[in-house]
Amino acid sequence: NNGIAPRPGKNGLMLNCQAERNGVTGLHYDSTKIQADGGYSFSNMHINENGQDGILLEAGTNTLGDIRFDDIDIKDNVGVPVNVASGTFTDIDFTNLRMLRNGGATGFKLEANIVRGSIHGCKFRSNNGAAAITGGGNISGFDIAENQYTDTNTTPVNLTGVQTNVTYGRNPGF
């Protein structure tokens, strides 16, 4: 009944994994109690049909740097596909994520603070008219480009925190 919960550390690599049909979050990275060095890479994964969020990232009062997510299918989860919930993240990148038929009110929930990063080449396909990207975290040096939005609501990107040097490239459906 538990999803994947990697422990905080340095330069971890997780690839070719499946987190499916858990009663909780599919992938939960929790650095709220430990200040980790970061350097994590998650790629070629399937995160499907979980009882909560697809991916949940928490750092509490800590800062976590150098994390990337590449080529991940996130489908049919009850909660949001990606929830960056707390803390500060530096150099965080999301590339080629396919988010299909998930619950929740958004594709990406960015409540944490982010310094440098990107959301690039992702597919947001919602059955419930959810927004694509929302959140109240402060974001700087961040690029949102080459994403496809279908079946999202009338405001696919709704970031309410302070935004500094946030750029929006070509995003069909935006």
Side-chain angles (χ1 to χ4, degrees):
N1 201 25
N2 293 321
I4 299 171
R7 298 294 169 231
K10 182 176 181 178
N11 297 327
L13 176 65
M14 183 174 289
L15 57 106
N16 299 327
C17 295
Q18 289 182 233
E20 296 187 350
R21 295 180 292 279
N22 295 291
V24 295
T25 294
L27 170 64
H28 183 189
Y29 188 91
D30 184 352
S31 186
T32 57
K33 297 179 181 144
I34 298 171
Q35 174 65 55
D37 290 333
Y40 270 84
S41 175
F42 301 89
S43 62
N44 298 314
M45 299 176 70
H46 292 266
I47 302 173
N48 306 324
E49 301 176 19
N50 294 290
Q52 295 175 0
D53 295 337
I55 297 171
L56 173 60
L57 306 174
E58 297 180 290
T61 59
N62 293 322
T63 298
L64 191 58
D66 190 13
I67 298 179
R68 70 183 179 113
F69 295 85
D70 298 303
D71 298 318
I72 300 175
D73 281 359
I74 307 170
K75 301 182 290 188
D76 300 309
N77 295 287
V78 173
V80 300
V82 179
N83 185 355
V84 186
S86 66
T88 299
F89 291 83
T90 61
D91 301 308
I92 185 169
D93 296 290
F94 300 92
T95 307
N96 296 325
L97 275 59
R98 289 182 69 234
M99 295 175 279
L100 313 175
R101 302 176 304 273
N102 292 284
T106 188
F108 277 93
K109 186 175 181 182
L110 306 178
E111 295 297 333
N113 299 318
I114 297 176
V115 179
R116 294 182 308 273
S118 66
I119 297 173
H120 188 269
C122 297
K123 309 292 187 244
F124 303 95
R125 298 181 186 141
S126 168
N127 284 344
N128 63 358
I133 304 169
T134 64
N138 297 328
I139 301 174
S140 66
F142 199 77
D143 184 48
I144 300 170
E146 300 301 325
N147 300 297
Q148 179 197 40
Y149 309 120
T150 59
D151 302 317
T152 58
N153 68 20
T154 57
T155 310
V157 177
N158 186 15
L159 298 171
T160 59
V162 175
Q163 297 176 51
T164 307
N165 196 25
V166 175
T167 58
Y168 299 92
R170 190 178 87 77
N171 293 289
F174 177 64

